[in-house]
Amino acid sequence: MKTVNAEIIGIGTELLLGQIANTNAQWISAQLASQGIHVYFHGVVGDNFNRCVETFESAQNRSDLVIVTGGLGPTEDDMTRDAANKLFGQTLLEDAESLKRVEHFYQKNNRIMSPNNRKQALVFEHAKVLQNHEGMAPGMIVEHGGVLWIFLPGVPSEMKYLMEKHVLPYLCDYYDLNTEIVSEMLRFIGIGESQLEHELQHMISSQTNPTIAPLASEGEVGLRLTAKGETKEEAESMIASLKKRILDIVGQYYYGSDETTIQQKVIELLKKEQLTIAAAESLTGGRFTDQMVSVPGASSVCEGSMVTYTPAMKEKLLGVPGDLINTFGTISEECAMSMAVNAQRLTSSDIGISFTGVAGPDAGEGKEPGTVFISIRIKKDQELVRRFHFNGGRETVRNRAVKKGYELLFHKLKKGFSSSAHGR
């Protein structure tokens, strides 16, 4: 089978305004990938005739398969047919079966059908008509200039019905599909995107099948591996082989695949070591604990959390010595360590973790916004305290502090414990 370059175009100003999400494109892409068809472009066009025409012309010149969703309704702004016909130059005809379905809908609901609703039954003269038993406007398949065009309603339930009932079987026959595409997202923490790419440059620069795509997100990095094979098993085997080669190089930063989160991984490691944890949070305001308890089963490892935002509450509730606060301030290594120790002590937990710092926008205690101290106390003899400076606004600083806390815990738990582990 030759490589099929597919494109998905969504029609509707509501998509551009963010009033609804373009979930149609995501769903269609997944279905095409499962059949071995690559999607190279996603596009969204508002209800503007000239821009629709321009977009369709571009798609005709660069893609083998174009799937268009939306703009097949009865109103004036439903212009998909007319814009596409500037390209096709075909006569638009009323499809009798589709018109009958539209008329039946209004009769069944005791409503009068306005004349413009006949527009929903219009189809291209040389189209393969896909009868829509979930709605009114039919789908259409049109071949033009060596490109296969598929037009579907924008309503998700109608689009999915037509894709599953008609489009996917048609594509399997049309392209003689015998290819499976399999992807796996590898997730890493504690290494930056540029460093990860540097370590794997020899693989990335020579990639063919499978492919490697680095993807950065806040506080961590992902690698999406994608393989194409004649069978799913063949593609999975190719992914497994490449994954092993990658983890042989950067496996110390790897925490999981696909939908695994760092919170889930930390909880898994805590359970494995039969350890409990408690948190003392200042600038993070309980966010670390909130993310932990959002994971099912967290109650077996998470003892609790104390949010102590002011110096007085750190002293009164946590037991941070007043002399320590007066001498070093609350935004300090000393205060962070005392918070972790007392969180551990007050909850009888195996681990205490603390967060203190300046989220911004103003400085605090002479420290710049973005200054954060994170401390971890494990059992009675292992202490860790780190100072960080995170760029960004207030919420970014808080989120990055929480992610860094999970990163420190992950690497500490993964390495195991020794009585010599003590650092500042």
Side-chain angles (χ1 to χ4, degrees), residues 331 357-372 387-389:
I331 306 168
V358 190
D362 301 319
E365 298 183 6
K367 307 290 196 312
E368 294 181 2
T371 302
V372 174
R387 175 176 179 157
F388 301 96
H389 187 272

Side-chain angles (χ1 to χ4, degrees), residues 184-197 200 204 211-226 246-247 250 253-260 403:
E184 182 175 353
M185 177 70 78
L186 309 185
R187 301 190 178 278
F188 301 85
I189 197 164
I191 183 172
E193 182 183 18
S194 59
Q195 183 62 30
L196 185 67
E197 286 194 41
L200 303 174
I204 295 173
T211 59
I212 306 171
L215 301 166
S217 59
E218 190 171 278
E220 59 181 270
V221 188
L223 285 178
R224 189 184 66 238
L225 312 184
T226 304
I246 290 172
L247 296 188
V250 290
Y253 304 106
Y254 170 76
Y255 73 79
S257 294
D258 296 327
E259 302 308 312
T260 301
K403 182 63 72 71

Side-chain angles (χ1 to χ4, degrees), residues 16 38 73 107 126 152 156 170 176 218 229 242 253 274 332 360 363:
L16 294 176
H38 290 283
Q107 292 167 3
H126 302 299
L152 300 171
Y170 184 90
D176 189 21
E218 190 171 278
L242 179 58
Y253 304 106
Q274 297 184 317
S332 64

Side-chain angles (χ1 to χ4, degrees), residues 122-238:
L122 289 177
V123 298
F124 297 110
E125 180 182 6
H126 302 299
K128 175 179 174 60
V129 180
L130 312 177
Q131 296 301 330
N132 181 6
H133 294 285
E134 294 290 319
M136 288 184 280
M140 292 174 282
I141 299 177
V142 179
E143 292 186 63
H144 178 74
V147 179
L148 190 66
W149 286 79
I150 298 174
F151 297 90
L152 300 171
V155 179
S157 61
E158 299 179 32
M159 176 276 293
K160 290 179 181 180
Y161 168 79
L162 291 172
M163 279 289 295
E164 292 172 342
K165 181 73 174 178
H166 298 290
V167 175
L168 291 174
Y170 184 90
L171 293 177
C172 285
D173 290 338
Y174 187 86
Y175 290 116
D176 189 21
L177 298 176
N178 60 354
T179 301
E180 291 280 347
I181 294 179
V182 173
S183 291
E184 182 175 353
M185 177 70 78
L186 309 185
R187 301 190 178 278
F188 301 85
I189 197 164
I191 183 172
E193 182 183 18
S194 59
Q195 183 62 30
L196 185 67
E197 286 194 41
H198 174 73
E199 297 288 344
L200 303 174
Q201 186 58 48
H202 61 292
M203 293 187 191
I204 295 173
S205 60
S206 62
Q207 63 178 309
T208 52
N209 179 33
T211 59
I212 306 171
L215 301 166
S217 59
E218 190 171 278
E220 59 181 270
V221 188
L223 285 178
R224 189 184 66 238
L225 312 184
T226 304
K228 182 169 65 174
E230 291 189 4
T231 65
K232 183 178 181 182
E233 290 73 20
E234 180 186 7
E236 287 176 341
S237 177
M238 295 167 70

